[in-house]
Amino acid sequence: MQASLEDLSLVLGEVAIFRGLPAAVTAEVARSVQILSLPKGAPVYAAGERPKALYHVMSGHLKVAVSSPEGGEKVIEILSPNQLFGVAELFGDASYVSSVETVSPVVALAIGRDAVLRAIEQDPCVSRRMLAALAQRQSSIEREIAADCFQSGSAKVVDYLCRLAGPSLGAGQDVVLELEIPKHVLAARLGFTPETLSRIFRELADAGDIHVHGKQVTLFQAFCRRHCTERRAAVAPAARPSRSSPFERPGRSGGYGAFA
């Protein structure tokens, strides 16, 4: 897709890590940008390729997956609009471990690696924002590992539906959702077979929590109230520990614990 340098600069200015930069820095990065318009099922890059760009999703969804020598595939992430990907790979000298493929029609920016590295040298804001993006990615990985270790299949589906509902979960009424990705891709992302995902949806529907029609899922009020309350309780701040002794050190409940 062709666009003028001025248009590319405007689009780039909407990407969080480049927002508000000096015009000269933005224009230099914009010269390296390609707008990718991809159909469903198109590869962006494959495992083993060398990193050449930083990517920003403008519309559509993609899957990040790793494959076994026997041909098995594990979907490790679903990418949505306004997400960056290929961030960490820019700074290493290694090939991609995973592959990225569209699961719906996608428009994305491919921002040249060398231009990104020059922008980092020219403006410290870019460095800080890139570090923030990497930190966010690390936190996401840790949450996903925890979910795989400790959540049941039903809990994973409920968590996905709650995240998809967002603030609407606490509105006190039914919430109608449109699944962002095909059900078989969602099942792969959650570590299920499609049959297992269908069974969990059916169990939630039989319990009166949801209604599923094609890609449309309705979360009923009782479901929303219950899980909104649970999520608020999960993020409620813990009580501050009393300062009963000066002989304490970091490391236990509340951030401090007595010496053994």
Side-chain angles (χ1 to χ4, degrees):
M1 183 182 295
Q2 297 296 319
S4 68
L5 181 61
E6 181 179 0
D7 288 341
L8 289 174
S9 295
L10 290 173
V11 172
L12 197 63
E14 295 302 313
V15 178
I17 63 170
F18 299 112
R19 189 174 298 138
L21 295 181
V25 177
T26 302
E28 183 176 354
V29 177
R31 290 187 181 92
S32 76
V33 171
Q34 288 183 293
I35 300 180
L36 308 177
S37 182
L38 303 171
K40 178 181 176 180
V44 177
Y45 57 73
E49 293 182 4
R50 306 288 293 182
K52 297 179 180 178
L54 172 69
Y55 298 90
H56 174 77
V57 186
M58 298 179 68
S59 65
H61 294 85
L62 309 95
K63 66 177 181 179
V64 183
V66 291
S67 300
S68 70
E70 294 76 25
E73 181 183 73
K74 168 62 178 175
V75 177
I76 59 176
E77 187 175 10
I78 299 297
L79 299 165
S80 302
N82 297 317
Q83 280 191 269
L84 288 169
F85 64 100
V87 179
E89 292 86 348
L90 287 183
F91 300 101
D93 192 32
S95 302
Y96 290 117
V97 174
S98 58
S99 60
V100 176
E101 180 182 302
T102 63
V103 296
S104 67
V106 163
V107 177
L109 300 182
I111 307 163
R113 178 178 185 270
D114 291 344
V116 174
L117 296 179
R118 285 195 298 272
I120 289 172
E121 293 174 354
Q122 293 170 355
D123 196 307
C125 284
V126 182
S127 297
R128 289 194 293 269
R129 292 168 182 175
M130 292 288 278
L131 287 171
L134 290 169
Q136 185 178 40
R137 172 66 178 138
Q138 177 67 24
S139 297
S140 177
I141 290 171
E142 292 175 3
R143 285 194 298 270
E144 295 294 343
I145 292 172
D148 284 341
C149 292
F150 303 119
Q151 283 188 324
S152 67
S154 295
K156 291 180 184 180
V157 173
V158 167
D159 186 61
Y160 172 79
L161 294 174
C162 290
R163 285 188 282 111
L164 191 58
S168 300
L169 197 68
Q173 56 189 5
D174 294 353
V175 177
V176 180
L177 305 174
E178 190 80 15
L179 295 180
E180 299 174 321
I181 54 177
K183 289 179 183 176
H184 72 279
V185 178
L186 174 59
R189 175 65 190 93
L190 297 176
F192 308 147
T193 63
E195 293 76 17
T196 299
L197 179 62
S198 295
R199 176 180 58 77
I200 293 171
F201 274 144
R202 186 167 59 251
E203 290 173 351
L204 291 171
D206 290 345
D209 285 336
I210 68 173
H211 174 73
V212 183
H213 180 71
K215 293 185 68 175
Q216 189 177 86
V217 180
T218 301
L219 312 182
F220 293 129
Q221 290 183 32
F223 175 98
C224 295
R225 286 196 298 269
R226 180 168 66 255
H227 292 292
C228 184
T229 300
E230 290 173 356
R231 291 169 80 84
R232 285 173 177 168
V235 299
R240 181 173 295 179
S242 60
R243 301 177 62 185
S244 57
S245 170
F247 301 105
E248 293 181 335
R249 62 177 174 84
R252 296 188 184 173
S253 177
Y256 291 87
F259 281 112

